Amino acid sequence: MLDLKPNKKLALNAIDYLEKAAQILLTDFIQPVADKATFRNPLLQVTVSFAYKSRKAIGQCFPTNMSNSKKHNLIAIHPRFGASDTLDVLQILHHECIHASDGPQGNQSGHKKYFRATAIASGLTGKMTATTATPETNKKYEKLIIAKLGGFPFEGVEMGARIDKKQNTRNVKMECNRCDFSYRTSRKYIDLIYDFGCPACEGKMSEERGV
């Protein structure tokens, strides 16, 4: 069974992992089969991020003219993926790396011409806007990337999960030392009180003491 646990010895974070995996994909998967006149070895910055202007995209590659430096291709991988989804992450990254290598700025041909030819030749299949790896390519991922880097070191966001809003502050009970009057309020407001006189009698209000 494929071990997708992160490599503790390497102690990579998600960004380091993606950038190292991207270099292997470019060197061992894409460059050998790409059109030499079009291929460029891009300067990459890869991150985990929700898609820009899209609710459906699970990966994006931005051309160099969209980066501040005008030198880097920026790749974003959706945060829904964790270690158990490592093969999916590598398929997405493979797809985006082809975009990055496409011409002077990247993304030159969209999902046609260079992209299509390179995707098929390097082991991707299916609809070009949503490619998947062939079984042979997945085996190659396992041998050249996962065996070296381990599984993707990221927890993954559980999409659609409810966010439990827990009360972090506990109200304090204030009680009169003479009558039964009491109330509860936060420590913040207790610190603002300057007169602890009981509004029901002439007693004094103080914090409830445990029995």
Side-chain angles (χ1 to χ4, degrees), residues 1 14 35 61 93-94 98 101 103-104 110 112 115 130 135 137 149 152:
M1 185 175 179
D35 175 62
C61 175
L93 187 60
H94 187 162
I98 296 173
S101 71
K112 300 177 180 179
F115 178 89
T137 305
L149 303 180
F152 181 44

Side-chain angles (χ1 to χ4, degrees), residues 41-58:
N41 197 2
L43 289 173
L44 292 179
Q45 286 189 350
V46 191
T47 191
V48 176
S49 172
F50 290 101
Y52 175 67
K53 291 186 177 181
S54 173
R55 292 185 177 182
K56 296 182 179 180
I58 53 177

Side-chain angles (χ1 to χ4, degrees), residues 11-113:
L12 298 174
N13 60 37
I15 306 304
D16 292 336
Y17 183 98
L18 291 170
E19 292 189 347
K20 287 181 180 295
Q23 289 307 314
I24 296 172
L25 287 165
L26 285 163
T27 301
D28 295 336
F29 290 71
I30 298 169
Q31 186 172 9
V33 299
D35 175 62
K36 292 179 173 57
T38 306
F39 176 86
R40 58 181 274 275
N41 197 2
L43 289 173
L44 292 179
Q45 286 189 350
V46 191
T47 191
V48 176
S49 172
F50 290 101
Y52 175 67
K53 291 186 177 181
S54 173
R55 292 185 177 182
K56 296 182 179 180
I58 53 177
Q60 288 183 316
C61 175
F62 300 95
T64 56
N65 68 321
M66 290 186 70
S67 72
N68 289 333
S69 69
K70 308 302 180 186
K71 296 178 181 179
H72 290 82
N73 287 102
L74 311 177
I75 290 177
I77 304 296
H78 198 286
R80 64 184 275 194
F81 300 102
S84 62
D85 308 303
T86 298
L87 288 174
D88 294 320
V89 171
L90 295 176
Q91 291 178 25
I92 298 163
L93 187 60
H94 187 162
H95 178 115
E96 304 307 335
C97 282
I98 296 173
H99 280 311
S101 71
D102 184 5
Q105 294 186 335
N107 291 62
Q108 182 171 275
S109 61
H111 292 98
K112 300 177 180 179
K113 298 180 181 179

